[in-house]
Amino acid sequence: MKENVHKSSPPKRATLEDVAKAAGVGPMTVSRTINGHPYVAEETAKRVRAAIRQLDYRPNHAARMLTGQLSRSIGLIVPDLADPFFSVVSHAVQETARESGYLVWLAASNDDLSIEAAQVEQMTHHPVDGILLVPVDSRDRYLKAVATGTTPVVTIDRYIEVASTDSVEVENRAGARMAVEHLIGHGRRRIACVATNSHLRTIKERIAGYEECLREARLPRAKVLQLSSLAEAKTTMAALFNSGNRPDALFTTNNASTIWVIETFREMNIEAGKDVALVGFDDVDFYTLIRPPITSVRQPAAELGRMSARLLLQRIKGDSASSSVRTVLPVSLVIRESCGCERKE
């Protein structure tokens, strides 16, 4: 016997008229408040904002587009502005947006989910026309509401795993395989992996590529050092290099882990390329200034920024397909000397 399950209909989305009624003002006053019109009295604006919060009102993007009320601005939220990778991405986003007459509101989440959620909320309610997001946690449930809201969202570097949006990322697993296969080609057999932020899907993919290579080459079992600080890197690597199972090569999963390894090597008087081979994932300009220069997997950071901004602008203008678009860009291996290769004049 089948049980009849009553499905309640989803709650009705609040309209601009609902907000006006709750605040005791006309719809035009609500619209002016949302768009920052200077002729709305502060006391009136406070009542309107309170009604917006109470009713969880979200301005309808399609309606704003039809009435020409787009702000011609987009939001960009990255984990860390000091990270060279995200600074390149941010610059490319700003240049692409500027060429189309858009301003970019830039924010850093500091890898804190609560900060990110608050930034998304602020950008949605003080409306930008769309949001570019590098999610702190691609699986967090709050992202479902973000993805299905009226403000278009495109993710960079990490796609949302709990919902469907446009995304632009790179070949993380293939890039890791490039790095490890190069080390194996040098005859290295005891290859360890140094990882930070190993909870991120991008890093998981890079670790998976590393592990696949070792299995296929029938090399000793993978050794993954999951680190959270420079101090921990120094302690853990000192123990590893003083053990009877000292590695002859390291694969580092991002530029933070590469820098920690370089600093640790300096303290331990270990020379990359001679005492141990090193290949990192992420290529930054100053790697050419280090001795020896660092061999690394280069991500097309500028193209990530440009393509994600173009995708978002297409969504804002209604020019793109109805289904979400997931774009994966290729990476390349930049060979220098830290892996053991000869210097090229």
Side-chain angles (χ1 to χ4, degrees):
M1 177 175 148
K2 291 185 178 179
E3 182 181 355
N4 291 324
V5 180
H6 175 70
K7 293 184 179 180
S8 59
S9 59
K12 181 176 175 288
R13 183 185 293 273
T15 65
L16 186 138
E17 287 75 17
D18 295 331
V19 174
K21 185 176 179 181
V25 298
M28 183 60 73
T29 301
V30 175
S31 179
R32 285 176 173 170
T33 302
I34 289 170
N35 291 290
H37 199 286
Y39 300 121
V40 179
E42 182 56 30
E43 190 59 39
T44 303
K46 282 182 180 178
R47 292 207 314 274
V48 171
R49 288 193 290 267
I52 287 171
R53 287 193 296 271
Q54 179 187 348
L55 298 173
D56 192 28
Y57 170 68
R58 294 175 182 269
N60 185 286
H61 176 77
R64 286 196 292 127
M65 185 170 68
L66 289 170
T67 57
Q69 292 180 339
L70 291 180
S71 67
R72 299 199 71 78
S73 64
I74 60 175
L76 170 61
I77 303 173
V78 298
D80 182 6
L81 287 171
D83 187 312
F85 172 73
F86 290 120
S87 67
V88 172
V89 169
S90 300
H91 178 73
V93 167
Q94 289 180 312
E95 288 296 297
T96 305
R98 182 182 56 77
E99 289 166 4
S100 294
Y102 274 74
L103 176 70
V104 178
W105 294 101
L106 180 59
S109 64
N110 298 329
D111 275 315
D112 187 312
L113 186 62
S114 62
I115 292 176
E116 175 190 281
Q119 289 168 340
V120 169
E121 182 75 7
Q122 287 177 316
M123 288 183 177
T124 303
H125 282 90
H126 298 83
V128 294
D129 298 332
I131 296 174
L132 294 169
L133 175 66
V134 183
V136 171
D137 182 353
S138 300
R139 298 162 297 175
D140 195 87
R141 288 178 297 176
Y142 102 92
L143 291 169
K144 286 185 179 180
V146 173
T148 56
T150 57
T151 302
V153 175
V154 174
T155 61
I156 306 174
D157 190 46
R158 314 159 190 172
Y159 71 81
I160 294 176
E161 296 180 54
V162 295
S164 181
T165 64
D166 292 338
S167 66
V168 186
E169 55 193 291
V170 304
E171 295 176 326
N172 289 292
R173 190 177 297 225
R177 290 182 61 94
M178 269 185 214
V180 179
E181 285 168 358
H182 186 74
L183 290 170
I184 293 171
H186 275 296
R188 306 294 175 165
R189 293 295 177 264
R190 298 183 308 280
I191 305 170
C193 173
V194 179
T196 65
N197 296 321
S198 53
H199 64 284
L200 295 176
R201 189 189 145 276
T202 49
I203 304 301
K204 287 179 180 177
E205 285 289 303
R206 295 170 195 176
I207 292 172
Y210 154 78
E211 291 174 336
E212 283 176 1
C213 280
L214 295 196
R215 283 196 302 271
E216 291 170 9
R218 300 181 183 277
L219 292 180
R221 185 180 174 185
K223 178 81 174 176
V224 181
L225 308 180
Q226 298 187 20
L227 308 175
S228 58
S229 69
L230 174 58
E232 185 183 11
K234 290 179 178 180
T235 302
T236 304
M237 287 180 57
L240 178 62
F241 276 82
N242 291 323
S243 71
N245 193 29
R246 178 185 174 119
D248 59 11
L250 292 181
F251 165 60
T252 48
T253 60
N254 59 8
N255 60 51
S257 55
T258 304
I259 292 165
W260 290 352
V261 165
I262 292 167
E263 291 195 32
T264 304
F265 279 179
R266 188 174 293 125
E267 286 193 6
M268 297 178 66
N269 292 317
I270 293 173
E271 185 174 348
K274 290 186 178 179
D275 302 323
V276 60
L278 171 64
V279 178
F281 202 116
D282 276 354
D283 187 50
V284 292
D285 291 343
F286 64 80
Y287 281 178
T288 60
L289 306 177
I290 295 171
R291 291 291 174 263
I294 306 301
T295 297
S296 56
V297 177
R298 176 178 291 166
Q299 300 190 71
E303 185 58 22
L304 271 173
R306 285 192 293 267
M307 184 164 286
S308 59
R310 286 197 294 264
L311 266 175
L312 183 62
L313 292 172
Q314 286 171 5
R315 284 287 177 196
I316 290 169
K317 296 171 185 175
D319 294 340
S320 51
S322 57
S323 58
S324 59
V325 177
R326 184 179 172 195
T327 305
V328 181
L329 301 178
V331 295
S332 58
L333 184 65
V334 181
I335 297 174
R336 299 189 182 103
E337 296 169 55
S338 67
C339 59
C341 282
E342 294 288 330
R343 183 174 185 178
K344 292 182 180 180
E345 298 298 337

